[in-house]
Amino acid sequence: MGKIIALANQKGGVGKTTTSMNLAASLATLEKKVLLIDADPQANASSGLGIDIKEVETSIYDCLINGVDAREAIFETDVPGLDLIPSHIDLVGAEIEMLNLPQREKVMAKLLKPLKETYDYILIDCSPSLGLITVNALTAADSVIIPVQCEYFALEGISKLLNTIKIIKTKLNPRLAIEGFLLTMYDSRLRLANQIKDEVQRHFQELVFKTVINRNVKLSEAPSHGLPAILYDADSAGARNHLQLAQEIIEKNEK
């Protein structure tokens, strides 16, 4: 039975999509069967894994709004073992279209239920908002990874996200757990980065992943080539960090 993990933070620019793509590719490299769902209208995870958005006929939008079977929207990526359900710009209007649907917060949960048998891990890259699509992702998920960038304002908005998680646990998905807080864009030379790292670790303690994602040029370059870092430059710090994160998640979940 697969595990569904949402990657969420309503603050933009925290490395959510970068982590989603590279963690998914790393889990697949470690011989897990992985599905990445791009639930962000910007569709960066889709293009970053080499999918031409203009060519996509069936996306997560069609599954959520038109009831298309999720299996019909699955694309194979260049990483063996990693599949993707791409996003589409139409997803921007999906929240309004979903308002009249019955049990509108649980549409994604129903969509993904049949896929849990096929995959070891299903990752959902959420958009930087706490709208209905993100609520759907958190209602469908078993756990959530919260990326936190090691920069000023890092902790801003986390209390709002934690409050949303608490409400979803109470009203929609009692099994939702925090998989971990992930420190991203870390530069050990900067005093501020070290201060934020210490603060997050002090505040959230064992909920913080041991793995830290370092600032890395290759991580930024890889998506423009339609590749995850592990295929673009397997020796880069970014590729190694995400592989380490994947190992940490596997060890934690398969004890």
Side-chain angles (χ1 to χ4, degrees):
M1 193 66 147
K3 181 167 194 181
I4 301 178
I5 304 176
L7 287 96
N9 190 333
Q10 79 274 23
K11 194 172 180 307
V14 298
K16 199 163 27 16
T17 298
T18 301
T19 302
S20 301
M21 286 167 43
N22 288 291
L23 173 57
S26 299
L27 285 165
T29 303
L30 295 170
E31 300 188 339
K32 298 297 169 190
K33 189 92 179 83
V34 186
L35 175 66
L36 174 60
I37 293 165
D38 188 352
D40 183 347
Q42 294 175 74
N44 291 339
S46 304
S47 56
L49 285 172
I51 303 291
D52 185 346
I53 309 302
K54 294 188 278 302
E55 308 259 301
V56 170
E57 286 179 17
T58 312
S59 68
I60 190 67
Y61 170 83
D62 301 289
C63 302
L64 291 171
I65 303 302
N66 302 323
V68 172
D69 187 323
R71 284 168 283 218
E72 291 180 30
I74 292 172
F75 281 70
E76 286 182 3
T77 71
D78 290 337
V79 183
L82 172 58
D83 291 342
L84 171 81
I85 295 183
S87 183
H88 194 277
I89 190 67
D90 287 352
L91 205 57
V92 169
E95 309 221 332
I96 294 162
E97 293 178 70
M98 287 171 80
L99 288 175
N100 298 322
L101 293 178
Q103 290 195 300
R104 60 189 181 204
E105 297 89 357
K106 297 186 175 178
V107 180
M108 197 178 288
K110 285 181 190 144
L111 200 66
L112 300 184
K113 201 175 176 191
L115 298 175
K116 284 186 89 168
E117 301 293 330
T118 313
Y119 294 96
D120 298 307
Y121 291 95
I122 297 175
L123 304 184
I124 310 173
D125 181 26
C126 299
S127 66
S129 76
L130 290 178
L132 191 50
I133 305 278
T134 300
V135 167
N136 258 270
L138 294 173
T139 303
D142 299 299
S143 65
V144 55
I145 291 174
I146 302 169
V148 181
Q149 89 282 34
C150 296
E151 292 175 0
Y152 197 59
F153 295 136
L155 297 174
E156 198 180 62
I158 282 187
S159 58
K160 202 186 245 181
L161 177 61
L162 292 177
N163 198 37
T164 301
I165 290 169
K166 195 170 156 189
I167 292 165
I168 286 170
K169 272 188 80 142
T170 311
K171 300 196 167 164
L172 294 164
N173 180 8
R175 74 179 189 285
L176 183 64
I178 291 175
E179 189 75 28
F181 288 86
L182 176 68
L183 291 158
T184 63
M185 305 180 190
Y186 175 65
D187 185 339
S188 58
R189 297 166 302 180
L190 301 178
R191 198 173 74 190
L192 178 65
N194 288 303
Q195 282 172 346
I196 286 163
K197 181 171 176 259
D198 293 344
E199 195 177 337
V200 171
Q201 287 171 334
R202 190 177 68 246
H203 203 77
F204 298 110
Q205 297 173 1
E206 72 281 355
L207 281 176
V208 183
F209 285 109
K210 292 185 185 74
T211 304
V212 174
I213 308 297
N214 292 285
R215 238 183 213 299
N216 180 240
V217 174
K218 301 288 184 193
L219 265 186
S220 311
E221 287 175 0
S224 65
H225 297 268
L227 295 169
I230 204 154
L231 289 186
Y232 181 63
D233 184 350
D235 288 330
S236 65
R240 290 200 309 270
N241 289 162
H242 284 94
L243 208 50
Q244 197 182 333
L245 174 64
Q247 278 164 332
E248 190 176 340
I249 287 170
I250 290 169
E251 279 165 28
K252 183 180 169 185
N253 284 291
E254 297 178 14
K255 275 179 186 168

